[in-house]
Structures are given as C-alpha cells and as structure tokens.
Amino acid sequence: MAKKRTKSKSKPTAANKKKVSLKPSKQNKIIFGSLLIVLSIALFFSFMSYYFTWQADQSLLSEFANRNAEAKNLLNKFGASVSHFFMYRGFGLASFAFPVLLAVTGLYLFLGLSGKGLVGKWIWGLLGVIWISVALGFFAIDQPLLGGLIGYEMNDFLQDYTGKIGVFLILVFVLMVILVRLFNFTPEGVANFFKKQRQQITSDFQKTASVSDETNESEETSLDLSPEDNEPVKVDTYTHKKDIPPLKSEAGLDVNLPEEEEVDISLEVEKVEEEKEESDIKSEKLVKDFGEFDPKLELGNYKFPPLDLLEAHGASGGITINQEELEENKNRIVSTLKNYKIGIAQIKATIGPTVTLYEIVPEAGIRISKIKNLEDDIALSLAALGIRIIAPIPGKGTIGIEVPNKNATVVSMRSVIASNKFQKAEMELPIAFGKTISNETFVVDLAKMPHLLMAGATGQGKSVGLNAVITSLLYKKHPAEVKFILVDPKKVELTLYNKIERHFLAKLPDSDDAIITDNTKVINTLNSLCIEMDNRYELLKTAMVRNIKEYNVKFKARKLNPNDGHKFLPYIVLVIDEFADLIMTAGKEVETPIARLAQLARAIGIHLIIATQRPSVNVITGIIKANFPARIAFRVTSKIDSRTILDAQGADQLIGRGDMLYTQGNDVTRLQCAFVDTPEVGKITDYIGSQRAYPEAHLLPEYVGEESGTGIDYDIADRDAMFREAAEVIVTAQQGSASLIQRKLKLGYNRAGRIIDQLEAAGIVGPFEGSKARQVLVPDIYSLEQLLENETK
C-alpha cells in the first residue's frame, strides 16, 4: 500500500513539471530567433559604420587572424570583414535588406508565429536586393560602393547582350512586377485615386446649404471599386469607402448602381478692391511721377572713402602658427593639471590674432571649480600675462583656457572693413569692432544695442575703439543717413572730425565748433537732444508709426506731407569720450538727460556711445547700467572695476593694446579691437571734407537755459508779424511749445522760439520748464482778446 501511495504521489508531480516546461522545439525557436535578431543588429551597425571607416579598414582585411590589429568599424575586424563582403563584393546599399529580413525571421521564431508567408518575404526581399543593386550599378556606375560588385558585374554582363536601353527596360519591367504583385498596382486603381482627388476638390467648392445627408450617401455608393475590392468583406464597421461591400439582391446577383451625373459648378470669385484713402492715392501718384524721395539726392555725387586710405598693419598673410609654442603650452597645461591629479581626456587649440584658446575636456568626475581655482598656477607655469579660464564655455561641453600669443598679430581696420561680413552687412548702423579668437570679423548693429558703454584703464585702447566705431559708420553710411554729436572734454581726441562738420556732424544753432569741449555746452546739447527726441516722437505719433525705420520708409514713399512738419530723420549718434569728467563737474545735470535719452531715444534713432577710464559706481550708476546692455571692457586694474562694467570678472586679466571683452547682456566675447591710427583718420576726414557738403552742420533744436530767455520785456512794436496768430494757436491748443507753432504756422524753429519768448513776456505762456511744454496762462480766446486790448490802451 505504501508503494502505491508513493507512486500515486509521484505521478502528479511529474505531470505538473511537464506542464511548466517548454518543448525542446519551442526553446530552440526562441534561442535561434534571438540569435537572428542579434545578428541582424550587428550587421546593421557594421554596414552603417562601413561607409565611414572602409578606407581605414582596407589594409586590415588580410590580418583577420592578427589579434593586435584593430579596425575602425564599430564591430572591429568582424564588422569590417562582413561589411566588405556584403557591401563591396556583394550588393552595396541593397545589403541593408539582409538585416531587415533576418530581424523579421527572428521575430517570427521568437514570438512563435507560423512561418506562413515568411518564404515569400525572403523571395521578394532577395528579388528587391538584386533589383536595387542592378539599378544602382546602372545609374551610379562610378560609385561601386552603392551597387556593389554584383550590381556592377550584372550590369556589365547584361549590357554586353542588350545594351543600356535593354538594361533600362528590364529594370522597368521588374519594377512593374514588384508593384503589381506586392502593392496591387493597377491602372484602375490609379484612375480611381485621381478621380477621388478630383471629387474631393469639387466637393470643397460645393458647400451649399441645400446639400443633404442622402446626397452624401449616394455619392459614397457610386464609387467604382477595383476588382480586388469586389471580394466580400467580413467587417461590420467601415472606416473607408474601399471597405464597403457591393450590394446584392435576394437572388444573389450583383446590383450595379447607376452613377449620378456630376455637375460641374464653376465658382466665380469677385475681386474686391480695397478702398484707398485720398492721401494714399496722392502718394502713389507722386511716386509714379517723381519716384520715391531720395534723402541722398542733395549730395548725390558723394563718394565713400576708399580702402586705400587705411593701412594694412601687421603681417599681410594673416596669423602665423607657431607649432612649437602651441606644443609647449599644451604640455605645460597638461603637466600643471596632472600635478593636481586632474586628468584631461581631450585638448584642442583655436589660434586668434592675440590669444590662443585651449579647449580641454576633463576626465569624468573632475569638478570644474577645481580647475577654475588653478588660474594663477597655470599662469605661473606658462609664464604668460592675462591667463583667463572660461569654465565652462557657453554652448560647449569644454573648459577654455585663453593664453596670450608671444607674437601678437595687429588687426588692421583695413582688413576688417574689407571683409565680406562687413561689406555685405544689412544693418542700420553696422560697426566692425575687430576679430574674435577664431579670427572672424566681429560686426554688430548699433541700432539694436541700442547704446554702448566703453570702459578701461588709460592707454588700453578706448580712443582707438571710438575711432573704429566712427570709421565703420563713415565707410558704410551716407551723410544724409547719420549725424554725430562729438563730446571731447580732453579737447584733443576727436578734433580731427572737425573737417567733416558740414557732412556728418550736428550742433546747437549758436555754437561755433561742432566738437563740444565745454561742459556748459554739453548740458545744453543733451537737453537739446531731449527736445529733438520729443519732437521726433510727435512726428512718429502723427505719422502713426512706431520707430524711425518705419517713419523713414513712409516718408520716402511720399505718404507724409512736409508742409505738416514731416522730414527725413537721420540717425543721431552721441559720442562722449570721457564721461567721468562730465559727472565730476556737472553731476545730475548731465546724468538726468543721459538717463532719459538712454531710456526713450532708441525708437527715434538717437544712440549713445559713452567711454570712461574710471568705471566706478558713482560714474556708471545703476540707472545708466540698466539702459546700456551693450558694454565693452578694455583692460582694467582690478576685479571690482571688471564687475562694475561687465557684471563679471575677466577684464582685469586682459593684456591691453586693444584686447577687449564685449557683452550684450548674455555671453562675453573676447575680441582684438581693430587698430586705426590717427593719420588714417586724418586721411579719411580730408577725403570726405574735400567733397561738396551741406550749407551748414545739422542743427539741433535751440535750448535756452532757465537763467536766460525768461523775463525779457519785448516792445509791442518789435513783436513778430504772426504774434497774434501764434497766440491764438497756443491758447486754442492749451499747449505752449515752439514745435506746435512750427507745425501750425509753418515757421522755422528760431522764429517760433522768438515768438514763444514774446508770448512769455506778454504773460500768455509761463516760463521755460526743460523738456516739458510751457504752461498756458490764458484760458480761452475771449480772455486773450481782453489781454491784447488792454495792452494797446
């Protein structure tokens, strides 16, 4: 009994084990399927890699047994040998079908699917491989890697018997067989496709309210189905017109529904012409008769200064590469970092005119701050001035070490001006500062900055930088397009530009010299610029545009009437050479209008360039910094000064002589400023000054300080002839400004200013209040009449 119990217990256990375990045949299929999938992936990557590494691996094909030999292929010698066999000796690009076929076969085996249809896939796949190989060998006979040796030899064999035309016809025939058998290609199917597209286009235009749902159904059932579609469909839900089975009668006969006649409805679109205002019609007629307004016409024969006026400083052949210096610096950087147990995975050098950038990729696990703290140690090992570490370089996964070259190359202004980047620059106010570390010309648009702050210690290149800015604009812009206001407290830096006063400079009406050296005139000029800014904004308001570019485009198209005070507005660039001296002597009187111009003047084309050699916080205040996002820092003496200018370190590590950092609110770019010598500037100004000029310099609005022009008693007999009309305009508008009198009475600014002073003396308007309009003291026309009658009694 005990034995029986033992047997009875053991039998179910064995049965259970058999249920859990897989059959040997199924296990073999999974294993073999996995092998095919892995092999297909290996072949795919081998083939991909072969097209990039076949030249390097060519010599290793005969050294397969040599373990020390390494191939560049992703799968080493195996990948190189297999790829060479399939790609070069086999079918070329068509060989990529083999990994696909192996992967499909492996999936069939791995998932335990039935092998039905698998043989067909291999047959059609091999046929496609042969066709693609022969086709590539036929059309790209000079590229054996595309069609492989088989494609090339089969083409050669077939052409010996049938010629090129015969091979082409064979390829077309085989392609038709593949399309018909695999993709059910038929002429009826193509015709139906185009018919459906035509019906779809027609139905898009037939969107009328009378179309009902029944019409849509009848359109669906009237579709001609291809012969393949006449087979019964066993699906209840239809998502496409092809899925709809043909209707059958009770007798089982096919019912052919008559096609509805298509009605071609032509859609006539009536062109609606836009109604134009009378002013637009007049402007179009003026443009048609006279062409667009050309602001350059008055100086139509003006010639831009030629490149010959600039000298080619430095080596004419560009940057010379000192291989020994590069290798020496590289070894010192590597050894210095190695002493602190910092390994380097990769190092690369970019040679600039003054500085060479060494980009290093540290090994994994190295902290960036550790390398940053070794700045002084690297400088000591290299025995170089101005080592600067950028950790990391923005937009790259590298750390940069900037090392000055032993023999710096001078960047001439001529090479920068002559570059394609500057000559083809489509900018409003292009400025070529110099060249970057990668020896590329650096060009920016002053109109987009919109203001520039330059700072640096004495003798580090600020004045040369200002000359580079002005020279760039002189080489690119016509005198009608840009005007300069030059402020030079040192009285010697910008005096050369006096020769182009009537071409490019702007000044106050009562000023003798266009170059401003007196601090009192600086204050008046800045306040005058504020008045000019307000006047320009008034013009933009009446023209209904947002900026000077749109305004000038509208004025050139003759859509603005000059009789209403409109005129072409040139850009105005204010250049102040030594800003710290103005702040020391004038203080708030200078800072307030500067801040106001910096905040508001961008849209109306007034741009500021301020240079100072003392970048302390009481000179470059928070208000000024907030409105000067574009900044240039030449070499300074301390990290504090560098942070004051750039809000970052680095300017204290520059090497001087035009070495500078430029930022526009994001990344900091190291540049070598272009060198333009004083004699070169003299030649340029002489060339421009010798040409025909405007009658006088561009005049700014007249500004009268608070201490002058108020309380002057004008005799009634000396009043202007249009005094009464001007008084009526001012009282009616309740706005006391000279610009209003200018526009309404079509007077010049000087005459309008004198009438304003007479109105003040008569008690009609209040005293001068800076850039604000004067207060009107008379409430209405009746009160004005009473006031003027009492004066005559």
Side-chain angles (χ1 to χ4, degrees):
M1 294 291 290
K3 288 182 180 179
K4 287 182 180 179
R5 286 175 186 171
T6 307
K7 287 180 181 179
S8 63
K9 286 182 180 177
S10 60
K11 283 181 181 178
T13 308
N16 293 337
K17 284 184 180 179
K18 284 183 181 179
K19 287 180 181 177
V20 174
S21 64
L22 296 170
K23 292 181 181 179
S25 60
K26 192 168 186 180
Q27 291 175 340
N28 294 337
K29 283 185 179 181
I30 293 173
I31 294 171
F32 190 59
S34 303
L35 176 63
L36 291 179
I37 292 171
V38 170
L39 182 61
S40 69
I41 295 171
L43 287 178
F44 177 78
F45 283 107
S46 299
F47 294 170
M48 286 292 292
S49 179
Y50 178 75
Y51 275 93
F52 301 99
T53 61
W54 69 272
Q55 289 178 324
D57 295 342
Q58 193 73 20
S59 60
L60 297 173
L61 295 174
S62 60
E63 300 182 19
F64 189 84
N66 186 2
R67 292 184 62 183
N68 296 323
E70 287 191 6
K72 298 290 184 182
N73 195 287
L74 289 176
L75 272 79
N76 212 325
K77 288 180 287 186
F78 169 79
S81 302
V82 172
S83 301
H84 180 75
F85 176 77
F86 277 96
M87 292 295 206
Y88 182 75
R89 294 187 172 278
F91 302 95
L93 275 177
S95 300
F96 276 99
F98 290 111
V100 176
L101 291 171
L102 287 174
V104 171
T105 306
L107 284 173
Y108 266 76
L109 295 173
F110 186 83
L111 299 174
L113 302 175
S114 63
K116 188 178 179 181
L118 194 58
V119 176
K121 286 181 172 58
W122 271 94
I123 292 172
W124 287 110
L126 291 174
L127 180 62
V129 166
I130 295 170
W131 185 88
I132 293 171
S133 178
V134 174
L136 289 173
F138 179 78
F139 291 107
I141 193 169
D142 296 331
Q143 301 291 331
L145 286 179
L146 294 179
L149 194 59
I150 291 178
Y152 177 81
E153 292 293 344
M154 290 184 70
N155 262 288
D156 193 45
F157 174 79
L158 290 172
Q159 287 184 24
D160 287 344
Y161 290 95
T162 63
K164 286 189 176 181
I165 297 177
V167 175
F168 179 76
L169 293 174
I170 291 170
L171 289 172
V172 172
F173 172 72
V174 176
L175 179 63
M176 288 298 298
V177 172
I178 294 172
L179 290 175
V180 170
R181 296 304 301 270
L182 287 183
F183 302 102
N184 296 328
F185 174 83
T186 58
E188 293 86 353
V190 176
N192 285 336
F193 173 78
F194 286 107
K195 185 177 179 182
K196 289 174 187 177
Q197 296 300 318
R198 186 168 64 84
Q199 287 179 350
Q200 184 67 32
I201 294 170
T202 307
S203 63
D204 289 341
F205 287 98
Q206 294 176 350
K207 291 181 179 178
T208 55
S210 60
V211 178
S212 62
D213 294 337
E214 291 181 355
T215 309
N216 293 332
E217 290 178 8
S218 65
E219 287 179 359
E220 276 193 273
T221 53
S222 65
L223 259 148
D224 290 337
L225 302 176
S226 59
E228 287 83 358
D229 295 328
N230 289 332
E231 297 176 5
V233 181
K234 299 179 181 179
V235 182
D236 295 329
T237 307
Y238 307 115
T239 57
H240 195 272
K241 293 179 182 179
K242 286 177 68 176
D243 298 329
I244 301 175
L247 298 177
K248 291 190 176 183
S249 64
E250 293 179 358
L253 298 175
D254 293 342
V255 179
N256 294 322
L257 296 179
E259 293 186 359
E260 293 185 1
E261 294 183 1
E262 294 181 0
V263 181
D264 292 333
I265 300 177
S266 59
L267 182 66
E268 295 182 2
V269 181
E270 185 179 353
K271 187 177 179 182
V272 180
E273 294 186 359
E274 184 182 355
E275 293 185 6
K276 297 182 179 179
E277 296 183 2
E278 187 179 353
S279 59
D280 292 335
I281 297 171
K282 288 182 179 178
S283 65
E284 287 180 3
K285 188 176 184 303
L286 286 170
V287 170
K288 187 177 180 181
D289 294 341
F290 303 102
E292 285 194 347
F293 173 77
D294 186 7
K296 305 175 185 177
L297 197 59
E298 191 172 349
L299 296 184
N301 297 324
Y302 174 80
K303 294 180 180 179
F304 288 90
L307 283 173
D308 297 338
L309 302 176
L310 296 170
E311 296 180 11
H313 299 282
S316 58
I319 295 174
T320 56
I321 300 174
N322 189 337
Q323 198 66 38
E324 293 180 5
E325 182 184 347
L326 287 174
E327 197 66 26
E328 186 180 347
N329 286 340
K330 183 202 79 171
N331 293 334
R332 286 180 176 176
I333 290 171
V334 172
S335 62
T336 303
L337 294 175
K338 192 175 181 181
N339 291 338
Y340 292 92
K341 297 180 181 179
I342 298 173
I344 295 176
Q346 186 183 347
I347 185 166
K348 184 178 72 172
T350 304
I351 305 167
T354 311
V355 176
T356 298
L357 173 66
Y358 294 87
E359 292 183 55
I360 64 172
V361 178
E363 290 181 348
I366 302 296
R367 295 174 64 90
I368 292 176
S369 59
K370 192 175 181 181
I371 299 176
K372 182 73 174 171
N373 293 333
L374 295 176
E375 200 165 51
D376 296 334
D377 299 281
I378 296 172
L380 178 64
S381 68
L382 294 172
L385 174 69
I387 297 292
R388 180 168 168 262
I389 293 182
I390 312 167
I393 297 177
K396 296 183 179 180
T398 58
I399 295 172
I401 301 176
E402 294 175 346
V403 182
N405 300 334
K406 289 181 180 178
N407 298 316
T409 305
V410 178
V411 177
S412 65
M413 196 70 201
R414 176 172 182 156
S415 65
V416 173
I417 295 290
S419 65
N420 284 332
K421 196 168 185 180
F422 180 77
Q423 292 293 334
K424 296 179 180 179
E426 296 183 0
M427 302 176 180
E428 295 298 314
L429 297 172
I431 295 174
F433 278 122
K435 292 191 175 181
T436 62
I437 287 179
S438 57
N439 205 33
E440 294 180 3
T441 304
F442 190 79
V443 183
V444 290
D445 191 359
L446 178 62
K448 292 183 179 178
M449 286 186 188
H451 311 294
L452 178 63
L453 178 65
M454 301 173 67
T458 304
Q460 303 304 321
K462 290 190 310 303
S463 297
V464 175
L466 286 177
N467 285 330
V469 171
I470 298 172
T471 303
S472 299
L473 295 174
L474 293 179
Y475 266 90
K476 198 72 173 174
K477 307 306 288 185
H478 190 274
E481 297 174 314
V482 64
K483 302 294 178 184
F484 295 97
I485 300 173
L486 304 179
V487 178
D488 184 14
K490 289 190 283 189
K491 304 180 182 179
V492 292
E493 294 291 348
L494 301 175
T495 51
L496 284 169
Y497 297 102
N498 262 324
K499 300 170 188 174
I500 58 172
E501 174 182 334
R502 292 188 298 141
H503 291 86
F504 281 101
L505 300 190
K507 64 177 185 179
L508 291 171
D510 58 346
S511 180
D512 296 328
D513 297 325
I515 311 296
I516 304 165
T517 56
D518 185 17
N519 287 344
T520 306
K521 288 187 177 180
V522 173
I523 297 168
N524 291 342
T525 302
L526 292 175
N527 285 293
S528 174
L529 263 180
C530 290
I531 297 172
E532 173 73 13
M533 178 179 70
D534 293 335
N535 292 342
R536 286 190 173 198
Y537 268 118
E538 191 67 32
L539 291 175
L540 261 63
K541 176 186 172 183
T542 55
M544 291 183 290
V545 292
R546 295 181 61 189
N547 54 55
I548 186 174
K549 188 176 180 181
E550 296 175 5
Y551 178 88
N552 283 337
V553 168
K554 204 168 184 179
F555 186 81
K556 286 179 182 179
R558 301 185 185 273
K559 294 182 179 181
L560 301 175
N561 193 345
N563 294 328
D564 295 336
H566 291 293
K567 57 186 177 182
F568 181 82
L569 300 179
Y571 285 93
I572 296 177
V573 181
L574 171 65
V575 180
I576 301 177
D577 187 25
E578 188 45 71
F579 186 61
D581 184 66
L582 294 180
I583 293 293
M584 288 173 62
T585 55
K588 287 290 183 184
E589 290 181 283
V590 168
E591 185 182 347
T592 302
I594 285 282
R596 189 162 183 264
L597 288 168
Q599 288 169 347
L600 301 173
R602 173 183 183 176
I604 43 84
I606 298 177
H607 303 280
L608 281 58
I609 301 174
I610 292 175
T612 181
Q613 60 180 250
R614 199 184 69 192
S616 53
V617 290
N618 60 337
V619 175
I620 304 175
T621 61
I623 296 175
I624 291 176
K625 282 181 68 174
N627 294 290
F628 282 77
R631 300 171 201 166
I632 286 178
F634 292 91
R635 187 167 183 258
V636 293
T637 54
S638 67
K639 287 183 171 66
I640 297 172
D641 289 345
S642 177
R643 289 196 193 97
T644 305
I645 309 166
L646 301 172
D647 296 327
Q649 295 183 17
D652 56 312
Q653 295 161 326
L654 300 175
I655 60 174
R657 297 178 62 82
D659 190 17
M660 69 183 203
L661 297 175
Y662 170 81
T663 180
Q664 200 167 350
N666 37 30
D667 298 336
V668 178
T669 307
R670 191 167 186 173
L671 307 171
Q672 177 61 39
C673 184
F675 179 68
V676 52
D677 205 359
T678 305
E680 296 175 70
V681 177
K683 290 179 186 177
I684 295 169
T685 54
D686 286 338
Y687 182 85
I688 296 173
S690 64
Q691 300 185 54
R692 180 174 172 269
Y694 294 107
E696 58 182 349
H698 183 80
L699 295 180
L700 297 171
E702 188 175 3
Y703 172 79
V704 183
E706 293 183 3
E707 68 281 355
S708 59
T710 57
I712 299 175
D713 188 16
Y714 283 90
D715 191 2
I716 296 176
D718 295 334
R719 286 178 177 171
D720 194 279
M722 302 192 75
F723 173 83
R724 191 181 187 91
E725 295 175 8
E728 291 175 354
V729 168
I730 292 294
V731 172
T732 303
Q734 287 293 301
Q735 181 183 348
S737 67
S739 59
L740 179 65
I741 298 175
Q742 274 185 275
R743 293 195 304 275
K744 295 295 184 182
L745 302 182
K746 299 178 179 60
L747 303 177
Y749 188 88
N750 293 336
R751 186 178 180 185
R754 285 195 298 272
I755 294 175
I756 281 288
D757 292 336
Q758 293 169 10
L759 292 171
E760 180 188 352
I764 297 172
V765 296
F768 186 83
E769 297 182 19
S771 59
K772 296 181 180 179
R774 296 172 184 248
Q775 183 182 0
V776 181
L777 305 176
V778 179
D780 50 35
I781 295 293
Y782 178 75
S783 302
L784 176 65
E785 294 288 345
Q786 293 292 328
L787 178 65
L788 296 178
E789 285 180 9
N790 292 334
E791 283 184 343
T792 55
K793 290 181 181 178

